[in-house]
Amino acid sequence: MIRKKLLTAYCLSYGNWTVIPRQWAESFGEMSDLGFDAVALSFSESEMRYARRTFEMQIAAAHQAGIKVFVIPSRIGGRLAGAPLMGSLWLHENPSACLPENPGIACIESPEFREWSLEFIRTLIRDYEVDGIIWDEPKAADFVTRHPAAVAALGKGYGKEHICRSFAELIGDWTSAARQIRPELIVSIFNMPHTSPQFTGLCAGLPGIDYAGFDGGLSLQSYFHETPSKHKPYLTETWARTLKECAEHHCGTFALIENMLLPALQHKTFAENLESFLKTAQPNHLACYYYGHDNEIPEEAQKITMEIIHKLYLNR
């Protein structure tokens, strides 16, 4: 189902340990004033264990400011991105579900992982009055493992296409479990540009998915003092693929602007490429980072991003 055009402020690991509600109120109020329809907040195993009350308070503060809350289930068994960047607590306690080739990632065919992850999603959606979900960068979408559970479930001779289909079906199960609890949820999914086209196409066609697409930068990026480099394809390079996959499956389009990791010397290039992108692309659901992490001059990066979004997205 394609809904109206949405603008979402992406926030990761926001105020979950040092809890200052007046600062949330200020930030959520500013998001509303800037024209954001929703804020996307990450929720990992860490929050499920240590920030249950805090997350409920955050949602209430966002709703009081007049914006929706989209939850980002994060790092679930190493199978999703989001924040914080951490290993899975559940996998540490259940090593039999780990891929033998990569112990930081769960086998999607493991009955124990499927049962635990489904219950994690059910608890998250049942206990919190969220308005939507964003499935953030599914990981190892076509990685062929020889985990015993995969061999048992998929039989002899399976390959990348079977893994892609099985993982997409699991995300579909997560989505269905969430919608059974809150049918009105707005559900988006985005992948990294290098992810298998078979998998990303399957994601766009999953029942219950409203928006699908990719994230991407629009300039060179850096983490610290190293020479800036291109971390992944730019949104201008993946937009045609987004349009194709979403048109084939009657799904709304999504894009997340990576206005993060920006060195000051890249601001001009970033601004030029963001303008170029939004002159030709109008995603049904557009997201950008609210004060994206690790920018060299945070205020300037935020100002550039929002001025262009207002001119070429909100005012069009």
Side-chain angles (χ1 to χ4, degrees), residues 7-312:
L7 180 64
T8 294
Y10 222 71
C11 290
L12 299 176
S13 296
Y14 180 57
N16 293 331
W17 289 89
T18 302
V19 178
I20 307 175
R22 68 176 182 276
Q23 293 183 356
W24 298 342
E26 179 182 347
S27 295
F28 295 148
E30 181 179 67
M31 291 176 201
S32 179
D33 292 343
L34 286 170
F36 286 104
D37 300 290
V39 59
L41 299 172
S42 55
F43 189 95
S44 70
E45 294 173 63
S46 177
E47 281 70 48
M48 186 67 87
R49 188 169 295 189
Y50 287 119
R52 298 275 269 144
R53 182 181 295 114
T54 298
F55 195 63
E56 182 177 59
M57 293 164 61
Q58 280 186 328
I59 293 169
H63 285 164
Q64 187 170 358
I67 57 176
K68 293 179 171 62
V69 175
F70 298 157
V71 66
I72 311 163
S74 297
R75 305 288 166 184
I76 308 303
R79 282 293 182 170
L80 295 168
L85 181 57
M86 58 176 279
S88 169
L89 300 173
W90 184 85
L91 268 186
H92 179 73
E93 297 167 352
N94 296 270
S96 64
C98 296
L99 297 186
E101 304 87 352
N102 187 338
I105 299 177
C107 176
I108 55 176
E109 303 299 343
S110 162
E112 293 80 12
F113 173 66
R114 284 181 171 254
E115 180 181 351
W116 169 78
S117 63
L118 277 166
E119 188 54 35
F120 185 98
I121 297 302
R122 290 190 188 103
T123 301
L124 173 57
I125 303 304
R126 182 179 59 243
D127 287 2
Y128 297 107
E129 294 183 0
V130 296
D131 305 287
I133 300 172
I134 298 179
W135 304 120
D136 184 324
E137 289 185 351
K139 299 298 184 184
D142 63 355
F143 183 81
V144 179
T145 179
R146 296 303 167 186
H147 188 286
V151 175
L154 300 175
K156 295 181 179 179
Y158 64 88
K160 290 186 176 183
E161 67 276 14
H162 304 94
I163 297 292
C164 284
R165 187 167 299 279
S166 185
F167 192 8
E169 289 173 354
L170 177 58
I171 295 172
D173 290 343
W174 291 341
T175 302
S176 176
R179 283 197 177 277
Q180 286 175 13
I181 297 167
R182 296 188 187 275
E184 73 284 0
L185 288 172
I186 298 168
V187 183
S188 304
I189 187 167
F190 70 92
N191 284 282
M192 293 186 71
H194 69 255
T195 305
S196 159
Q198 180 195 0
F199 179 77
T200 59
L202 288 169
C203 288
L206 288 172
I209 296 293
D210 294 302
Y211 304 101
F214 300 91
D215 62 348
L218 290 160
S219 70
L220 303 183
Q221 296 168 297
S222 64
Y223 291 97
F224 197 34
H225 297 310
E226 79 277 12
T227 301
S229 62
K230 186 175 181 179
H231 289 189
K232 64 178 69 170
Y234 295 167
L235 287 173
T236 48
E237 299 172 278
T238 57
W239 183 242
R241 181 176 168 189
T242 299
L243 288 174
K244 179 179 181 294
E245 291 179 352
C246 291
E248 287 175 354
H249 298 285
H250 307 288
C251 178
T253 54
F254 177 93
L256 170 59
I257 299 164
E258 285 201 342
N259 52 321
M260 65 184 199
L261 307 175
L262 293 178
L265 289 176
Q266 288 295 310
H267 283 185
K268 183 175 184 293
T269 300
F270 174 82
E272 291 172 350
N273 287 338
L274 179 55
E275 287 202 355
S276 177
F277 175 63
L278 291 179
K279 283 178 180 177
T280 59
Q282 291 286 291
N284 302 119
H285 185 181
L286 179 66
C288 69
Y289 284 86
Y290 178 73
Y291 286 88
H293 57 282
D294 213 24
N295 289 326
E296 186 175 357
I297 308 178
E299 292 287 353
E300 184 176 325
Q302 176 73 4
K303 182 173 183 289
I304 290 169
T305 302
M306 294 313 303
E307 285 182 348
I308 295 171
I309 286 175
H310 270 267
K311 180 174 70 173
L312 297 176

